[in-house]
Amino acid sequence: MVPGEAGRVLPLALLLAAAAAVSWARGPPGALRPPGQGCSALGRCCPGRDPACAARGPPRCFCDQACGAARDCCADYARACPAVSCVVAEWSGWSRCVKPCQVSYRVRRRHVLQEPRNGGAPCPHLEEQAGCVEYRSHQGVECQQSLFPALITTGRYGKERRKPSVPKGQEMLGYCVQFQLGPIPGSCWQVRAPHAQWTKYLTQGHLVCVRCEWPAQDARSRRCYGDGRGARENQLLLWQAAGHPRCRGTWERRGQLPDCSCPEVHSLIFI
């Protein structure tokens, strides 16, 4: 070793040791930790980008939600500010229809149990709505039946559907209502679904027979809603095809019959 060589090696070792110390203090790439400082020392975690949510330096580091994207988080951010996802309660029961005696909607809600923090998953929607019709007012008075459409489908459905909770002696009870169809919208003929092919045969001016039977009958009145009972002479009533929402129109009630005797394509049933 030449004189003075050791003197040159010693400062190099000191420089390497100092660089390692600085690297340890800063933590992994994108994380900064001044010695003795950090989010734990700051005592708070902040939403969004908050320039005031910074631990003292040097070097300066942050404890806000945006620090990950900015790569200036304090080294203890993940430990001191863990992500907490939103937690919500179970759905409530459905409310009553907002407006009775007309096509309306009902509501159910849920509330937040835990707000999201530090980039956790956001809360899902807290309210749902669904269409509905109530045939009695909130005071229990039966609605005027001409205020809402009759929901109908092909008569074959009456032979195929199950009829739960039919009281004894009621299996064969029912009645038929005859209507004369008004204008038929073109959407009734533009159908692909097999269960809605019957709508192609609806024709303005034709008479149709619509049967009312269990379980479509109201338990108290023993009638089907939308059958036009109480309508004025020549009053236009509303109907809508089940399974084909765009197929709807008007008809006039022609009378009630004990049995339906229309051709099969014009034999329908209340839902």
Side-chain angles (χ1 to χ4, degrees):
M1 179 180 297
V2 297
E5 185 175 0
R8 290 195 300 270
V9 173
L10 183 58
L12 180 59
L14 291 175
L15 288 173
L16 292 174
V22 171
S23 176
W24 176 86
R26 290 181 177 178
L32 309 175
R33 181 180 64 183
Q37 298 294 334
C39 299
S40 297
L42 182 65
R44 62 193 181 105
C45 307
C46 310
R49 185 55 168 169
D50 187 353
C53 194
R56 290 179 298 173
R60 196 181 189 197
C61 63
F62 290 84
C63 303
D64 58 13
Q65 185 178 335
C67 71
R71 298 181 61 82
D72 56 6
C73 296
C74 294
D76 65 344
Y77 174 78
R79 176 174 55 83
C81 305
V84 178
S85 297
C86 178
V87 178
V88 296
E90 296 294 326
W91 286 109
S92 68
W94 286 104
S95 70
R96 298 191 64 177
C97 287
V98 175
K99 296 181 179 180
C101 300
Q102 59 181 287
V103 177
S104 183
Y105 66 93
R106 54 185 177 168
V107 180
R108 68 175 182 173
R109 297 182 175 92
R110 55 187 174 184
H111 61 275
V112 176
L113 300 176
Q114 172 66 63
E115 294 284 354
R117 298 198 306 268
N118 309 326
C123 294
H125 61 280
L126 303 177
E127 181 178 300
E128 281 187 345
Q129 296 182 359
C132 64
V133 176
E134 283 188 9
Y135 300 113
R136 293 183 179 272
S137 71
H138 292 167
Q139 291 73 38
V141 179
E142 189 172 357
C143 304
Q144 182 181 343
Q145 294 189 15
S146 60
L147 294 179
F148 42 80
L151 192 62
I152 57 173
T153 189
T154 175
R156 291 193 301 272
Y157 177 75
K159 302 175 183 178
E160 299 168 356
R161 68 177 172 182
R162 297 176 60 190
K163 301 176 182 178
S165 304
V166 179
K168 288 185 178 181
Q170 296 293 327
E171 294 87 346
M172 301 304 296
L173 293 182
Y175 59 92
C176 184
V177 184
Q178 193 173 58
F179 296 91
Q180 185 171 19
L181 292 170
I184 307 298
S187 56
C188 293
W189 306 318
Q190 299 169 0
V191 58
R192 295 183 180 179
H195 64 273
Q197 293 296 312
W198 62 272
T199 61
K200 293 182 177 180
Y201 301 100
L202 298 175
T203 305
Q204 180 176 355
H206 281 196
L207 295 175
V208 293
C209 298
V210 189
R211 182 164 179 79
C212 173
E213 59 183 25
W214 284 88
Q217 287 175 311
D218 177 71
R220 286 182 286 186
S221 69
R222 304 286 175 85
R223 304 195 67 86
C224 290
Y225 292 108
D227 71 355
R229 180 186 183 189
R232 301 184 304 274
E233 185 178 359
N234 298 325
Q235 180 179 353
L236 292 179
L237 306 172
L238 304 175
W239 59 267
Q240 178 177 322
H244 192 352
R246 294 188 300 117
C247 181
R248 60 179 68 191
T250 59
W251 56 18
E252 294 180 22
R253 179 185 169 107
R254 287 291 179 245
Q256 182 171 320
L257 308 172
D259 295 300
C260 291
S261 57
C262 294
E264 183 177 0
V265 293
H266 293 149
S267 294
L268 308 175
I269 191 169
F270 290 106
I271 295 296

